[in-house]
Amino acid sequence: IFPDWKCTQLSYLILQKNHQMNWRIVAIPITLIPIFIIAIQFDIQIEDILAIGLLPFIGAIIAMMIKLGLQGIKFAYITRKYLGNFDSFFKLVGVRVGSEFIKFTTPMFIGAEFVVIYYLHKKGAKPAKAAWIAIMDIVTEVFAAGLLSIMAGIIALLSGAYVVATVILATSIIITSLWMVMFFLSSKHTFQVPNVLENLAKRFAKEKGGKAIEKTNTWMEEVCIMSRENLKTSESKKIFTISFLFSLASWSFYGISFMIIAMGTGFVINAFDSIMAVMGANAIGNLPITIGGSGLAEFGIIAYINNLDPFAFEISEGVVAWDAVIGWRIATYYVPIVITWLLLVKLALSKIPKSPSS
């Protein structure tokens, strides 16, 4: 998940109209293409998926919803710590869970932070404070995911799966390092829009471009000021630590969702290996190639389990767990995507009454 400071002002405008989000719904069927290719290539029948059984599917869905719920609780916790008794706790949880729809339908799983910034700002929070809350939320999530993915990469490396290990480690180390460096440097350095982008904006958008750059620079400066004011305080360190632990727990539930599905196929994998396989696949799915990591996550988890090349589409038919992987993808992506969309439309994109400014 890469930071993109320039998109915030544009995102406010995009999120103000529900129909402008409809293209994401259209994009969802595209994510099914890799599933169909896998099913045809490796002769996975619908009967194989149904044979997994209802209980493993329900169990995996519950594990995934616990993962999303913990993310929501963490966001509500951070918001309440910085804004006091701000909005309904459960509504904040719902907004954060709903924001995951944007990640599900975007390459590299980006965009959820824009939804929560938009929501908090519309409820009356100052833009800089809303951005700080979103940053604290996303950084702890990235940090936890990065550490687990790096662990998975190291294990893959020690197991001799060099291609898988290289992809996982390169992706997770770059993304985690970038976010953490940006996060901690923001307390010492004031970031501004690069001169190249500023000149381009002014050249092509003239006066509007100049005003947009000025607003963005002001917003970024305010965020950096917030960072300097909060990052070194004992309260913020406590919030960061607790949020990080919430993130570790949420990613762990995501990881064991595969173990639950695998039980229905007769494929045995323990909780730790399941978490490592899923987090390794999650790192591979972060590559900016497909929407929601479609195809990449499936091949990634198979490659991790079987010590194969995740980009070798000629993977032999003898590898284990293809039916489990497809079932896992349905339970942890296609079912939650419906739930998150409903929450997004109901809570974050509906008319939002403004609370007293915080």
Side-chain angles (χ1 to χ4, degrees):
I1 309 172
F2 291 95
D4 190 348
W5 306 99
K6 282 73 70 180
C7 289
T8 306
Q9 296 293 334
L10 178 59
S11 297
Y12 284 172
L13 299 177
I14 291 173
L15 290 171
Q16 285 177 344
K17 295 185 179 180
N18 293 357
H19 71 271
Q20 292 181 342
M21 303 294 290
N22 288 346
W23 69 269
R24 294 183 180 275
I25 299 177
V26 176
I28 294 173
I30 298 174
T31 66
L32 290 167
I33 294 175
I35 298 287
F36 290 136
I37 293 174
I38 291 169
I40 293 170
Q41 178 70 23
F42 302 104
D43 194 28
I44 305 298
Q45 305 295 325
I46 187 66
E47 291 81 8
D48 298 320
I49 307 301
L50 294 176
I52 293 174
L54 183 61
L55 290 180
F57 265 112
I58 293 175
I61 292 170
I62 290 174
M64 183 61 183
M65 295 315 298
I66 291 175
K67 185 261 188 189
L68 295 176
L70 286 173
Q71 285 180 280
I73 292 171
K74 180 188 75 171
F75 170 69
Y77 164 76
I78 296 171
T79 301
R80 288 295 189 91
K81 282 295 182 178
Y82 284 112
L83 296 179
N85 192 24
F86 181 89
D87 202 16
S88 160
F89 184 89
F90 292 104
K91 186 173 286 187
L92 289 170
V93 172
V95 167
R96 181 61 184 88
V97 173
S99 72
E100 287 294 293
F101 176 83
I102 307 298
K103 289 171 61 177
F104 282 143
T105 54
T106 307
M108 296 170 58
F109 306 109
I110 61 173
E113 58 272 23
F114 301 138
V115 174
V116 298
I117 292 172
Y118 168 80
Y119 179 81
L120 293 177
H121 177 57
K122 292 297 287 184
K123 290 291 290 185
K126 295 178 180 178
K129 188 167 284 189
W132 171 254
I133 291 168
I135 290 168
M136 179 69 80
D137 176 48
I138 203 71
V139 165
T140 51
E141 182 179 345
V142 171
F143 188 36
L147 288 183
L148 290 173
S149 295
I150 290 169
M151 284 177 58
I154 292 172
I155 292 172
L157 188 65
L158 295 176
S159 300
Y162 301 117
V163 176
V164 176
T166 300
V167 176
I168 293 173
L169 288 173
T171 306
S172 54
I173 288 173
I174 290 172
I175 294 175
T176 306
S177 299
L178 179 60
W179 267 104
M180 298 309 294
V181 167
M182 290 286 287
F183 181 63
F184 288 109
L185 278 183
S186 66
S187 66
K188 299 179 180 180
H189 176 75
T190 299
F191 292 103
Q192 298 283 268
V193 175
N195 290 332
V196 175
L197 294 177
E198 182 177 352
N199 292 333
L200 286 173
K202 290 179 178 179
R203 177 179 296 180
F204 292 104
K206 307 298 181 183
E207 186 178 348
K208 288 184 178 179
K211 288 182 178 179
I213 292 296
E214 184 179 346
K215 287 181 179 179
T216 303
N217 280 335
T218 301
W219 173 78
M220 290 168 65
E221 182 179 1
E222 289 173 351
V223 171
C224 291
I225 291 172
M226 286 287 299
S227 180
R228 282 190 283 274
E229 291 176 351
N230 291 287
L231 196 55
K232 294 181 180 180
T233 65
S234 58
E235 180 68 11
S236 283
K237 289 177 181 177
K238 178 182 176 182
I239 294 170
F240 183 92
T241 302
I242 293 175
S243 299
F244 172 70
L245 294 175
F246 264 109
S247 294
L248 278 179
S250 69
W251 284 117
S252 297
F253 273 100
Y254 181 46
I256 65 173
S257 63
F258 179 72
M259 178 189 73
I260 297 170
I261 279 286
M263 289 177 181
T265 67
F267 176 66
V268 179
I269 184 171
N270 62 46
F272 179 77
D273 288 340
S274 179
I275 293 171
M276 292 295 98
V278 169
M279 295 311 299
N282 185 71
I284 294 172
N286 267 300
L287 294 171
I289 299 174
T290 62
I291 295 172
S294 181
L296 295 175
E298 291 88 337
F299 272 90
I301 200 167
I302 284 291
Y304 187 91
I305 292 172
N306 296 280
N307 291 355
L308 300 170
D309 181 348
F311 303 110
F313 284 84
E314 70 277 4
I315 291 175
S316 65
E317 297 181 24
V319 300
V320 296
W322 270 121
D323 50 351
V325 168
I326 293 177
W328 168 76
R329 185 66 170 175
I330 293 170
T332 61
Y333 182 81
Y334 292 102
V335 173
I337 208 171
V338 175
I339 297 171
T340 55
W341 167 249
L342 292 174
L343 287 172
L344 180 68
V345 173
K346 178 67 176 177
L347 297 176
L349 299 184
S350 59
K351 290 185 177 181
I352 303 171
K354 194 169 186 176
S355 300
S357 183
S358 299

